[in-house]
Structure formats: C-alpha cells, structure tokens
Amino acid sequence: MKLYFSPLACSMATRIALYEAGIDAEYVEVDPRAKRTLKDDGDYLRVNPLGLVPVLEEGDGRLLKENMAVLQRVARLEGGKLLAARGETEQAELQQWLSFISTELHKGVFSLLFDRKAAPEVKAYALSKAESRLDYLASYVEGREFLLSEFSVADAYLVTVLNWFAATPVDLGRWPALKVYLANLRQRPAVARALDEERVLYGHYLRKYGELTPQMAQVLGVS
C-alpha cells in the first residue's frame, strides 16, 4: 500500500488513520507546486491528473482518489483497527462530519485562504465564514473526546484541518472547547507522530522555495 501525500495537507489525515489502524504503507511525498514526487522526480500528474493529494495505491495497483473516499477505505482495511462507525445511525453521523469538515472548513474556508491567486477581499470573506462554523463545531465538541463515540477518520480529518488555523489570524483560543479537543488529539500517539514528521517535511518544502520565515519556523517548531 502506498500513500501519495504533501506535508500538512489534507493527506495527513490518512497518514494519521494508517498509523492509528496499524497498517504499514509506503509514503510518497509530492511537491504540490511542481507536481513531482520527491523520491524519484516522477510526474505526479500521471498518478492523479488533477495533481491533488491524497492518492492511495493498493497492492494490486488500483488508485483511489479524493480525501473522503481514501479515509473511508482506510477506516475499514482488513487487518487494521476499525476507524469507522459500527451501526447505520453512526455511519450516517460519520458521513455528516466528513462532509462538514470537507465542505464547510476545508473547501469553504481554507481552499480560498491558501489560494495564491485569491484576491484579499475573497480571503476576508472566507475568514468571515469561519466564525459561524467554529461556533457550531465548538458547541458540539463541548465535553466530548471524539466526534463519534470512538476515534474515527473524522477526527483524523478534523485535527488536520484545525491545525491549519495556526497559519491564519484566527485564534482558536476564542473557542475553549475546540482548544481542548485539539490539544487532546495532538497527544494521541498516531496524531503526534504524523504531526512531528510532517512539520519537518513542510519546513523542508518552504525552505526549498525560500519561504521559511522565522515566524513560520517557530510555528512549525523547526530550525
């Protein structure tokens, strides 16, 4: 099994899930600008013509694309820990949270904030949308350890996305419940391992393009 990823991108959720499930995989880093695989300078567009991560390559060579699909595949891999819902009702809740994270936070906020071509007013609009989404999310996780009854791929996705707020003017400290939820998940071994590894790789990526500022190095905890 092989995971094509870019450091600290949404593909980190799948790395967390693989670690949590105890599934061995090969991790192939993709330069999101050059669309090349770092190990062999391969053309990533031959893997995914859209140039997006993650892509999960299984042992038979099949390629699975799109973050929500990849996460749900990993959640039920044979021989791994179950990271999906067990019953029909909770399965619907899992779909609800994956959809919320994907549409309301990932695409609705961060795709615009991190778009180099987006105008300042577009980014301001995206930030304005974040507040109501975080209000809603904080009210739900108040007093909860996970989004479902147990750790699932939805938590892996959410912790990945919430970490992106460190690169924005939004202070998650305004939502104590979110701050507690995020802090607790960061202590989880699979999450901590993935974060530590990908922060270093992201630092290398920024340095490659001359963009590793002292402030960003401090945020990432790299030198």
Side-chain angles (χ1 to χ4, degrees):
M1 182 162 289
K2 186 182 297 183
L3 177 68
Y4 292 89
F5 77 99
S6 294
L8 298 185
C10 65
S11 52
M12 191 178 78
T14 302
R15 182 191 288 267
I16 292 170
L18 287 166
Y19 288 167
E20 184 76 25
I23 299 293
D24 291 332
E26 177 185 354
Y27 296 88
V28 180
E29 185 176 351
V30 176
D31 183 320
R33 295 193 207 179
K35 308 300 182 186
R36 311 290 296 185
T37 53
L38 268 62
K39 185 176 181 179
D40 58 1
D41 193 34
D43 181 4
Y44 182 61
L45 296 179
R46 297 182 65 179
V47 178
N48 186 350
L50 295 177
L52 302 174
V53 293
V55 170
L56 188 70
E57 182 178 332
E58 302 208 32
D60 58 5
R62 286 183 298 172
L63 298 175
L64 184 62
K65 307 174 183 71
E66 298 299 329
N67 194 38
M68 286 176 58
V70 171
L71 283 172
Q72 291 181 88
R73 172 65 176 141
V74 171
R76 296 183 181 276
L77 281 173
E78 185 176 350
K81 178 182 176 182
L82 180 68
L83 300 176
R86 299 180 185 277
E88 290 185 7
T89 299
E90 201 170 52
Q91 180 62 31
E93 292 176 354
L94 175 63
Q95 294 292 333
Q96 168 190 272
W97 285 114
L98 288 173
S99 297
F100 172 82
I101 299 162
S102 179
T103 59
E104 303 300 332
L105 293 177
H106 184 176
K107 297 299 183 183
V109 176
F110 288 103
S111 287
L112 297 174
L113 287 180
F114 294 159
D115 188 336
R116 294 172 177 273
K117 297 180 181 179
E121 56 268 24
V122 171
K123 296 188 177 187
Y125 173 68
L127 278 174
S128 72
K129 291 172 62 178
E131 186 154 341
S132 63
R133 275 91 177 141
L134 294 176
D135 285 343
Y136 168 74
L137 185 60
S139 67
Y140 179 80
V141 301
E142 180 77 47
R144 298 181 63 95
E145 189 175 3
F146 310 118
L147 291 173
L148 303 182
S149 58
E150 299 176 284
F151 182 88
S152 71
V153 289
D155 295 295
Y157 193 7
L158 183 55
V159 72
T160 297
V161 171
L162 289 180
N163 272 302
W164 297 342
F165 277 106
T168 76
V170 176
D171 178 13
L172 285 182
R174 293 173 51 199
W175 293 272
L178 286 181
K179 191 173 181 180
V180 170
Y181 169 86
L182 183 58
N184 287 340
L185 280 187
R186 282 174 172 166
Q187 297 302 311
R188 197 171 184 88
V191 176
R193 178 184 172 188
L195 271 172
D196 287 346
E197 291 171 349
E198 296 213 0
R199 279 174 178 153
V200 173
L201 294 174
Y202 190 63
H204 295 332
Y205 166 73
L206 291 180
R207 187 177 290 111
K208 173 182 177 180
Y209 288 100
E211 297 176 1
L212 184 61
T213 64
Q215 180 181 7
M216 183 55 70
Q218 184 176 13
V219 169
L220 295 172
V222 299
S223 57

